[in-house]
């Protein structure tokens, strides 16, 4: 599943966010579950489909001999991850703690980011748009493997 584009929305007073129909329509009708993860240092909250979250979680590996850093990473990620279900109107409940930690108000933008959706503060996202596009060539150069 490939999520693209962005939509400006609002989180209501009960912490509910309507997932745009263009994203809901990509999923199976009976599949109304997802995983919402901790706020990332970049100010985003990520939403994964259940199969994608399980795949990524499995890639972290399990072992009786996890290093302290591996154990801390797993604790931090999984303690803040919550399984969520969309209601009949396609709304999910975004935990207030996640919004507070990410510095996200009620005005948000939901962004398709490939295999996941991101929730970001709308004003911050829009204010930084020119900077993001200006940095695109540098970002591409830093993330593209060299062909040498």
């Amino acid at each position: 599943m490939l999520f693209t584009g962005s939509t400006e929305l609002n989180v209501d007073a009960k912490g509910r966010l309507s997932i745009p129909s263009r994203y809901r329509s990509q999923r199976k009708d009976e599949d109304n579950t997802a995983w919402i993860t901790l706020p990332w240092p970049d100010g985003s909250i990520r939403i994964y489909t259940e199969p994608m979250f399980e795949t990524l979680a499995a890639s972290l590996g399990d072992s009786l001999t996890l290093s302290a850093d591996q154990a801390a990473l797993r604790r931090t990620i999984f303690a803040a991850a919550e399984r969520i279900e969309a209601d009949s109107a396609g709304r999910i409940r975004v935990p207030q703690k996640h919004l507070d930690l990410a510095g996200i108000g009620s005005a948000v933008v939901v962004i398709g980011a490939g295999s996941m959706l991101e929730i970001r503060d709308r004003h911050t996202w829009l204010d930084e748009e020119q900077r993001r596009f200006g940095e695109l060539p540098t970002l591409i150069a830093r993330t593209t493997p060299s062909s040498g």
Side-chain angles (χ1 to χ4, degrees):
M1 196 169 313
L2 183 63
F3 298 113
T4 62
S6 63
T7 305
E8 295 177 19
L9 299 163
N10 290 300
V11 177
D12 72 15
K14 294 181 180 181
R16 296 176 303 194
L17 175 67
S18 293
I19 299 298
S21 62
R22 69 169 155 188
Y23 300 132
R24 290 193 322 261
S25 67
Q26 290 181 256
R27 303 181 62 181
K28 298 177 190 168
D29 288 338
E30 70 277 1
D31 186 12
N32 65 344
T33 59
W35 285 87
I36 193 164
T37 63
L38 74 160
W40 294 93
D42 65 0
S44 68
I45 298 171
R46 296 177 181 169
I47 302 172
Y48 294 95
T49 63
E50 192 158 29
M52 178 55 71
F53 185 78
E54 289 174 358
T55 297
L56 294 172
S59 73
L60 288 175
D62 278 320
S63 170
L64 292 174
T65 58
L66 290 175
S67 71
D69 285 345
Q70 289 169 320
L73 178 61
R74 292 178 66 82
R75 250 190 326 274
T76 302
I77 290 173
F78 293 119
E82 290 193 31
R83 187 172 186 265
I84 55 175
E85 289 192 31
D87 65 15
S88 60
R91 297 173 301 194
I92 60 166
R93 194 184 78 63
V94 181
Q96 187 62 48
K97 179 179 180 178
H98 286 53
L99 293 169
D100 292 344
L101 286 171
I104 297 174
S106 61
V108 301
V109 60
V110 174
I111 299 162
S115 63
M116 65 185 156
L117 295 174
E118 288 185 352
I119 303 169
R120 292 183 169 269
D121 181 77
R122 182 188 312 165
H123 304 294
T124 302
W125 178 257
L126 296 176
D127 288 347
E128 294 178 349
E129 193 167 42
Q130 282 295 334
R131 180 193 54 79
R132 282 193 314 275
F133 283 110
E135 293 175 352
L136 191 57
T138 303
L139 184 59
I140 291 169
R142 285 195 328 244
T143 60
T144 304
S146 64
S147 59

